[in-house]
Amino acid sequence: MSPVRRKRRIVKQEIIPAAPSTPVSQEIDDEQEQQQQDDNSFVKSYMKQQYRPYSIKDIQLNLHNKYNKNNLTSILDSLVAEGELVTRVIGKSTYYVYKQLTGEDSCTSLERYQELEENVKQLNRDVQQTKQQLQIVNSTPTDIELLESIENSNKQIDNLDQQLQKIEFNVNNDNLDSFKQYHNKLMKMRKQRKEMFNNFISTIGECNDDLDKLMDELGVDREELEYHNSLKFSL
């Protein structure tokens, strides 16, 4: 008799598909991915702007501990993998630096440098102009100094007028030449004092809108002043 062949029963296993991710979990994943991209972009921009080697500790301090050490290490390693940063190990520390600038970046840096250089020149010009204005302000007498000078000039002019009037009544032929010389000397002094006084009045007029009111407060009679200015003395 031939052997009886037994039929094998093949049991089909039903493959159960994995449950799709819920919208909430997908949203969380998207937010995390977006946050990671933002962090990478921020650190990349910072390293490009600085363009100098920094250790993880240096970067963490410069960014005011915006990221902890683990997160910052992950970000830097990701940028290294993307070719945005290069690393170099010195001793026990790893230093990160932005990749070599391209020609386009170099042109941008040159334009920025030229812009900053022009700004510095303009600031220097502004500083010089401000210094000149400050010198003018410091050299301008104060109101009190002007008032004192005007008062002294008025007294000197009155004294000169009195001396000239005395001379007119005491001149004789014997000392006429001496009096003429003295007269000329006094007239010269009077002219100088008069010019000083007029200059003070002109300066005050430039600094005050109402000169007449100021003159009244100083006790200066404008008519009397004009009278003294019109006096002419001769021998």
Side-chain angles (χ1 to χ4, degrees):
M1 293 180 61
S2 59
V4 179
R5 296 180 178 179
R6 295 180 179 180
K7 295 183 178 180
R8 294 180 179 179
R9 296 181 60 185
I10 300 175
V11 179
K12 294 183 179 181
Q13 295 182 355
E14 184 178 0
I15 300 175
I16 302 175
S21 59
T22 62
V24 175
S25 62
Q26 183 64 36
E27 184 177 352
I28 294 176
D29 292 340
D30 292 341
E31 291 180 355
Q32 291 177 348
E33 183 178 356
Q34 182 62 43
Q35 182 63 43
Q36 183 178 1
Q37 292 178 359
D38 293 341
D39 293 339
N40 288 2
S41 178
F42 177 81
V43 175
K44 172 186 171 182
S45 299
Y46 169 76
M47 296 298 292
K48 181 178 180 180
Q49 181 183 13
Q50 299 300 314
Y51 197 53
R52 59 183 300 178
Y54 283 126
S55 66
I56 293 180
K57 184 177 181 181
D58 294 332
I59 300 173
Q60 193 174 13
L61 291 176
N62 293 341
L63 296 179
H64 306 288
N65 294 318
K66 180 179 177 67
Y67 306 103
N68 60 41
K69 185 177 180 179
N70 293 334
N71 290 341
L72 184 57
T73 301
S74 176
I75 294 171
L76 293 173
D77 290 342
S78 177
L79 292 175
V80 170
E82 295 174 3
E84 299 294 342
L85 301 181
V86 293
T87 61
R88 182 175 181 182
V89 178
I90 301 178
K92 296 182 180 180
S93 300
T94 302
Y95 289 85
Y96 298 82
V97 65
Y98 188 73
K99 64 181 180 178
Q100 185 176 2
L101 294 177
T102 63
E104 181 180 355
D105 292 331
S106 298
C107 293
T108 303
S109 299
L110 178 60
E111 292 174 357
R112 178 60 176 165
Y113 172 80
Q114 292 174 344
E115 180 183 355
L116 292 175
E117 186 179 25
E118 182 60 32
N119 291 339
V120 170
K121 291 180 180 179
Q122 182 61 43
L123 288 174
N124 288 332
R125 290 192 290 266
D126 294 342
V127 169
Q128 293 299 326
Q129 184 177 2
T130 303
K131 287 183 178 180
Q132 294 176 358
Q133 294 176 351
L134 182 61
Q135 290 177 353
I136 295 175
V137 172
N138 291 334
S139 61
T140 303
T142 63
D143 292 344
I144 297 177
E145 292 174 344
L146 289 174
L147 295 176
E148 292 177 352
S149 299
I150 290 175
E151 184 178 358
N152 292 333
S153 296
N154 284 331
K155 291 180 179 179
Q156 292 175 0
I157 291 175
D158 291 338
N159 292 333
L160 290 174
D161 288 340
Q162 293 176 5
Q163 293 180 32
L164 288 173
Q165 291 175 2
K166 291 179 180 180
I167 291 175
E168 288 183 337
F169 293 103
N170 295 313
V171 173
N172 54 50
N173 293 330
D174 296 334
N175 56 11
L176 182 60
D177 293 336
S178 298
F179 278 121
K180 284 184 177 180
Q181 294 178 0
Y182 187 58
H183 173 268
N184 293 334
K185 180 179 178 180
L186 290 177
M187 290 299 296
K188 184 177 180 180
M189 293 174 60
R190 183 179 185 274
K191 182 179 179 181
Q192 292 175 347
R193 299 296 188 277
K194 181 179 177 182
E195 291 177 352
M196 289 175 58
F197 178 78
N198 290 333
N199 288 336
F200 284 128
I201 294 298
S202 177
T203 302
I204 292 177
E206 295 176 356
C207 302
N208 295 271
D209 296 333
D210 194 345
L211 180 60
D212 292 335
K213 181 179 179 181
L214 178 61
M215 297 293 285
D216 291 339
E217 293 177 355
L218 295 175
V220 178
D221 190 336
R222 295 296 294 273
E223 294 182 356
E224 183 179 356
L225 179 62
E226 292 177 357
Y227 168 74
H228 283 290
N229 289 336
S230 64
L231 291 177
K232 296 182 179 180
F233 300 91
S234 61
L235 290 177

